[in-house]
Amino acid sequence: METTQEVKARVYKFGDKTADGNSKMKNLLGGKGANLAEMSLIGIPVPPGFTITTEVCTEYNLLGQEAVVNMITPEVEQAIENIEKIMGAKFGDMENPLLVSVRSGARVSMPGMMDTVLNLGLNDEVVEGLALKTGNERFAWDSYRRFIQMYGDVVLGMKPESKIDIDPFEEIMESLKHKRKIELDTQFTIQDLKDLVYDFKDAVKKRTGHDFPTNPYDQLWGAVVAVFNSWNGDRAIYYRTMNGYPADWGTAVNVQAMVYGNMGDNSGTGVCFTRDAGTGEDVFNGEYLINAQGEDVVAGTRTPQQITKLGSLRWAELAKVEEEDRVKNYPSLEELMPNIYKELNSYQEKLESHYKDMQDMEFTMQDGKLWILQTRNGKRTGAAMVKIAIDMLKEGMIDEKQALLRIEPNKLDELLHPVFDPKALKEANVIAQGLPASPGAATGQIVFFADEANKYKFTILTRIETSPEDLEGMNIAKGILTARGGMTSHAAVVARGMGKCCVSGAGALKINYKTRTLTVDGKVYHEGDWISLNGSTGNIIEGKVATSEPELSGEFAEIMELSDKYRTMAVRTNADSPKDAKVARRFGAQGIGLTRTEHMFFEVDRIKAMREMILADTTKGRKHALDLLLPMQREDFEGIFEAMEGLPVTVRLLDPPLHEFVPHQLETQRSLAEEMDISIEAIKAKVIELEEFNPMLGHRGCRLGISYPEITEMQARAIIEAALNLKAKGIDARPEIMVPLVSTLPEFLNQETIIRNTANKVFEERNDTIDYLVGTMIEIPRAALTAHLIAERADFFSYGTNDLTQMAFGLSRDDAGKFLPMYIEKGILKADPFEVLDQEGVGQLVQMGTEKGRKVKPNLKVGICGEHGGEPSSVEFCFNTGLDYVSCSPYRVPIARIAAAQAAIKKQG
Ligand code: PEP
Ligand code: MG
């Protein structure tokens, strides 16, 4: 039998309705490369090209430049030949030159993160050929100067490193403009462009010590290597870290024949979406520029026009542009080039129904011919995500399970957060209007530099335009405001991805970075002044504006209802007050998984009694103070039980070390001494007595209840009396009493006995009973290891994964923040384990405890109440481990509901 040895391909070609790859190969070809291949396969006109795989990037990181270039040279040369054949042009040819673009493309879209080089293949001879071939000398020289500039910045490292440095190429252009007394790039003459090329090359030589490379292949390899290097650049690392993408994914490199949108008035370029990425409305929309390259649209230096007539009319209304002016100066593509528009419209329909999702496409028209440069599933706001999923379900494009899987649970956050209070908005002073680039409401103090976004607690990052360097600051700021740029500008795209409120292209703003001022209509605003943004209307408002709870749309309710159809695991909430309990119930919480009773003790009127209890030296003294606390606790519980009527409420006994309740400042100690009529020395002595080197591992949790049984007695009594009081009113209260920080069975038994004895006493006193449970938290590794013993007596388990993580890692919850970011940056940890459950390690304890517990008690109720209970990947883990419920903060309840439904769907397959 014959055997054939498969040779691993590292370069995948596409173009002219064929392709070596397809859309399923995203991990290998990157999102962009896989989609280019797929588009070519389904007959969409993409400029031909090839993709160097992500694996080569990883090989590059391991083996270095020389080895990798040698390894792929034959395949790359062959692929270039293929492009030459399709385009009928030749790479480096003086008469009929082929130029290419080189772009990065990771498996997930990282907007603006990686660098791109256009017009590659030009040199002093080729530029003449290009001028002859196109009959457009100006275009040829403009392309050449753009190429040197981009190549210099991206490949040769001439991009300015700090905000005060100026791009050397921009500096040369500015000085020429100054000399020639012109303002716009388009005013340069051909001779100017030639001079610029000369000066640019000179600047390269001066800065790098080398001549600008003239050989097209040398240029190509330089660019390919630069793309690989950009995967490990600061911007990319930050974006990867923020999103939890591992370093070993690597990026692919896409090399593609250049097509030109800047060849005159019959050419242009644009970006479009098959549905509205802000609202989800099913309308084709986008922006274009005549006689421009793609970078011009994204950079936001010119204000683009709308693609559809409908979009153009809506834009004109917002921008207050008269119809006559609109038709004359800002016509839509639909009106200006109806045939091209028709063709584009047919491709957007074809692509959306092919990918069955909203597409974000880039296109270029070169001399009347339309090329699609890119398509991908479009980034969208949380509201658009929900609406599109429900709409596509109703249109029959996707089924229920697919609709649910389309929801990125964390993105629901955007829908649940406050919007401007309509009343406050009526009185607001709108100072200017920009484009509604990313919906939501933001109020904060003005900062002008991304690296100062945390100068105040709430900031509005205010920029002429943003660039990828600003990413970190954009993430920190409450809102983003730019003077330039359209709906597809960097600021707009990134803000929508982050779900951050953004107003862009507000041309009325004059921003001066030097004086740190923003001037509108003659009025000057300084750094630190408050402004507010309405990302849904584009309004820029003076001062602070009150916010109010959002109203949830019909589609939101529909998707949540749908999630309940597929979900089998319950979702509870962590709530310490009737108000939180009510919010959570509205969001669909099926009970409370954790009430931290200590939070109630911090309120002004209670802390006094609490301190009296701590300062008491005798049991009698403590009991006196506890008698004061009892009615307050009972009242709290009544409120919470009532809000959760008919649903279980887990109340945890006092957990934190007592020193947290005593005052540490002299001033407060003094007034406490006066109030309680004791000496300040006595207070100081008590504070010292309570001090611990390691309080998190100290006298806390059930250890308190064991030392001071009267505390447990008081709390148990308050819970049972509250439930009985409600029962008397016909309200169904279902308390579950939880003992914290148990590590041995005897600890649990000690507390359980006190609780049950107290309950029996109350039942006798009242001559009535209710059902209640007594369970424990599993938050110490030893408890998980001995779960089979504890389960003999505990009615339920609830994993306290905050403490469990702390103790499994030996990592202080309170101090780890100082070095965890460094761990994540270095790839030592993939994510913060206090945020995302460490399934590999801590997860084992959860699994083991559950298995051991259920071996003894098959129906043992098991849940989780650590912060992980609202984190989607952790919710999935809990479902797969067989937990009965997750419990999370009220605003995360919808997120957990969706995540639990998705987990169930994924398991069904
Ligand atoms: C936990 O440890 O996970 C927990 C829920 O308790 P706390 O955060 O109050 O320690
Ligand atoms: Mg805990």
Side-chain angles (χ1 to χ4, degrees), residues 534-692:
N534 187 335
S536 311
T537 62
N539 280 347
I540 303 156
I541 302 158
E542 197 176 49
K544 265 191 209 178
V545 181
T547 53
S548 63
E549 296 300 316
E551 279 185 30
L552 297 172
S553 71
E555 282 94 5
F556 177 81
E558 285 177 67
I559 201 84
M560 292 316 303
E561 214 169 282
L562 198 58
S563 79
D564 293 342
K565 181 167 164 188
Y566 289 89
R567 178 167 63 91
T568 52
M569 182 170 65
V571 174
R572 295 195 192 181
T573 191
N574 293 355
D576 310 329
S577 70
K579 181 174 160 270
D580 287 357
K582 277 181 204 147
V583 170
R585 196 162 188 172
R586 256 196 297 142
F587 285 148
Q590 294 159 290
I592 288 182
L594 174 64
T595 290
R596 291 177 165 102
T597 50
E598 57 272 14
H599 288 183
M600 302 166 177
F601 292 134
F602 281 108
E603 283 173 30
V604 197
D605 50 340
R606 294 141 196 236
I607 188 96
K608 252 200 258 167
M610 188 65 186
R611 283 173 173 162
E612 188 187 324
M613 195 253 329
I614 296 168
L615 289 166
D617 284 326
T618 59
T619 309
K620 200 168 153 227
R622 262 193 304 280
K623 277 205 166 138
H624 175 259
L626 287 167
D627 283 346
L628 296 175
L629 284 169
L630 174 69
M632 302 184 210
Q633 281 256 284
R634 194 173 50 220
E635 201 184 310
D636 291 332
F637 295 140
E638 281 180 24
I640 292 174
F641 291 156
E642 190 170 355
M644 278 291 162
E645 181 180 6
L647 296 173
V649 175
T650 307
V651 180
R652 182 180 70 184
L653 302 179
L654 191 66
D655 182 22
L658 295 182
H659 81 93
E660 285 192 13
F661 298 94
V662 292
H664 290 87
Q665 278 166 344
L666 191 63
E667 214 31 58
T668 338
Q669 287 177 347
R670 206 170 273 142
S671 57
L672 183 65
E674 251 167 53
E675 217 170 84
M676 298 187 65
D677 200 19
I678 50 174
S679 72
I680 185 155
E681 281 69 33
I683 293 186
K684 279 187 182 161
K686 195 74 190 179
V687 171
I688 291 169
E689 185 193 317
L690 291 173
E691 215 169 75
E692 292 176 302

Side-chain angles (χ1 to χ4, degrees), residues 594 596 598 652 655 696 700 740-741 777-780 799-804 806-807 813 865-866:
L594 174 64
R596 291 177 165 102
E598 57 272 14
R652 182 180 70 184
D655 182 22
M696 270 290 167
R700 61 172 284 222
L741 221 74
M777 293 197 67
I778 303 286
E779 52 183 343
I780 290 185
Y799 286 96
T801 42
N802 303 332
D803 274 310
L804 201 56
Q806 167 167 264
M807 292 185 226
R813 281 165 74 166
C865 62

Side-chain angles (χ1 to χ4, degrees), residues 399-410:
D399 63 22
E400 288 180 349
K401 290 181 185 177
Q402 283 170 317
L404 280 166
L405 291 174
R406 285 286 163 85
I407 304 298
E408 232 181 276
N410 279 332

Side-chain angles (χ1 to χ4, degrees), residues 36 39 44-47 87 101 103 118-119 139 256-272 284 287-298 307 333 337 340-341 343-344 347 351 361-375:
L36 283 167
M39 280 200 287
I44 301 283
V46 293
M87 294 301 280
S101 65
R103 295 167 202 264
L118 303 174
N119 301 324
F139 156 72
Q256 224 180 342
M258 282 296 299
V259 290
Y260 293 98
N262 56 347
M263 274 180 68
D265 288 345
N266 206 15
S267 302
T269 189
V271 179
C272 55
F284 177 42
E287 295 170 332
Y288 75 104
L289 279 172
I290 286 293
N291 200 10
Q293 288 206 139
E295 294 305 300
D296 299 326
V297 183
V298 180
I307 286 175
L333 186 71
M337 298 179 172
I340 292 235
Y341 171 78
E343 195 186 342
L344 180 64
Y347 295 149
L351 284 167
M361 304 152 56
E362 279 178 26
F363 65 92
T364 282
M365 306 166 278
Q366 174 174 312
D367 217 4
K369 166 140 182 64
L370 178 63
W371 295 94
I372 306 296
L373 303 187
Q374 184 183 133
T375 194

Side-chain angles (χ1 to χ4, degrees), residues 815-826:
D815 303 312
K818 288 185 193 146
F819 58 89
L820 268 186
M822 179 270 291
Y823 258 46
I824 292 163
E825 206 165 285
K826 293 199 167 167

Side-chain angles (χ1 to χ4, degrees), residues 438-478:
S438 182
T443 190
Q445 289 172 273
I446 299 174
V447 292
F448 292 100
F449 299 104
D451 56 1
E452 292 174 11
N454 51 10
K455 190 161 182 175
Y456 309 103
K457 192 163 173 217
F458 303 106
T459 54
I460 302 290
L461 179 61
T462 307
R463 302 279 303 160
I464 295 172
E465 57 202 358
T466 66
S467 72
E469 278 85 359
D470 297 334
L471 197 69
E472 194 170 357
M474 294 169 76
N475 193 26
I476 295 166
K478 287 281 159 216

